Amino acid sequence: MDIDRQKPEATPPRGKRTTEKKVHVIACGAIAREILALTRINRLDHIDLHCLPAIYHSYPQKIAPALEQAIADARTRGFEKIFIGYADCGTGGDIDRICEREKIERLSGPHCYSFFTGNEAFAARDDDITSFFLTDFLARQFEAFVIVPLGLDRHPELRDMYFGNYRKVVYLSQEEDPVLQAKAKEAAAYLGLDYEYRYTGYGDLARELPTV
């Protein structure tokens, strides 16, 4: 389900904030659940969260134009501080160019697989070049965000064309959920790949979000 705007559950007030003092976070809908969890855990009541459609995870060419519009809308509504809840995410540097022009910051790293793992730890691995990654979100939404966008529901014969060079599915889990682990195993079986489970928690997202 795409999330347009969600705010964290109410927490005891820490003093009245004006719109100008809030931080407007424009994030990928695919990490909305994790951001909301962290706002609750860390009592980040200053964060005003707006998520772009999660399906853009599968269509990165749509991210930059949508971000530009969302930033303009936020400026119109009076937000002075804005933070981008995306890494580069397949945009080929487009998000960085927007951030440089608008004088705002984004999440560190190339994509969510990296910042969930921890960007330094992800960069240090040299055995993942043939891995297909899942997060909690993608394990939960595998059909809608992998099978359907790739047309495998209509043309299953394309599976080996898309995934023939992969060797394993690596499930990077944010929560230790046996149901999602079972779904991830099913996804690996569907793709005809080996399966590996790695619990990451929230990784660098847990470090960066409280600083915005």
Side-chain angles (χ1 to χ4, degrees):
M1 179 177 68
D2 294 335
I3 301 176
D4 180 50
R5 175 177 295 279
Q6 293 196 34
K7 293 186 179 180
E9 295 174 356
T11 57
R14 297 189 300 181
K16 185 177 180 180
R17 290 178 181 269
T18 64
T19 301
E20 290 78 12
K21 292 181 180 179
K22 286 185 174 288
V23 179
H24 188 66
V25 176
I26 305 171
C28 174
I31 62 170
R33 187 185 186 100
E34 289 72 30
I35 291 177
L36 289 172
L38 287 169
T39 61
R40 291 192 293 270
I41 293 167
N42 295 306
R43 300 166 63 86
L44 304 177
D45 62 300
H46 66 291
I47 286 180
D48 182 89
L49 178 62
H50 172 81
C51 287
L52 299 182
I55 194 62
Y56 290 177
H57 179 94
S58 300
Y59 302 98
Q61 71 275 12
K62 296 185 177 183
I63 297 173
L67 279 176
E68 290 180 315
Q69 183 61 56
I71 291 168
D73 291 346
R75 300 282 195 212
T76 299
R77 300 206 315 275
F79 288 101
E80 292 183 357
K81 186 171 182 182
I82 298 171
F83 182 82
I84 302 302
Y86 279 88
D88 178 73
C89 298
T91 65
D94 284 347
I95 293 178
D96 284 335
R97 285 184 279 275
I98 291 171
C99 288
E100 182 177 2
R101 184 178 69 244
E102 298 288 341
K103 308 302 181 188
I104 56 183
E105 296 181 343
R106 68 163 174 88
L107 290 172
S108 301
H111 40 62
C112 59
Y113 314 126
S114 180
F115 66 67
F116 278 141
T117 299
N119 287 308
E120 289 187 7
F122 189 88
R125 295 191 69 101
D126 59 4
D127 60 341
D128 280 336
I129 192 169
T130 58
S131 298
F132 183 77
F133 293 99
L134 297 178
T135 61
D136 283 3
F137 178 87
L138 290 174
R140 193 179 287 113
Q141 302 285 348
F142 181 73
E143 180 174 1
F145 281 76
V146 179
I147 295 176
V148 173
L150 292 178
L152 298 179
D153 55 329
R154 303 180 303 279
H155 300 285
E157 70 276 6
L158 294 176
R159 185 197 70 172
D160 291 343
M161 180 184 298
Y162 286 129
F163 295 96
N165 291 323
Y166 289 99
R167 294 293 175 264
K168 62 183 176 181
V169 165
V170 175
Y171 173 30
L172 307 172
S173 77
Q174 288 66 70
E175 298 180 6
E176 294 183 290
D177 184 336
V179 173
L180 291 182
Q181 291 177 40
K183 287 181 178 292
K185 288 180 181 179
E186 290 173 3
Y190 176 88
L191 297 177
L193 301 175
D194 293 336
Y195 173 75
E196 181 178 333
Y197 175 76
R198 299 177 195 166
Y199 173 70
T200 66
Y202 300 124
D204 285 351
L205 183 65
R207 178 180 59 81
E208 291 193 27
L209 193 63
T211 69
V212 302

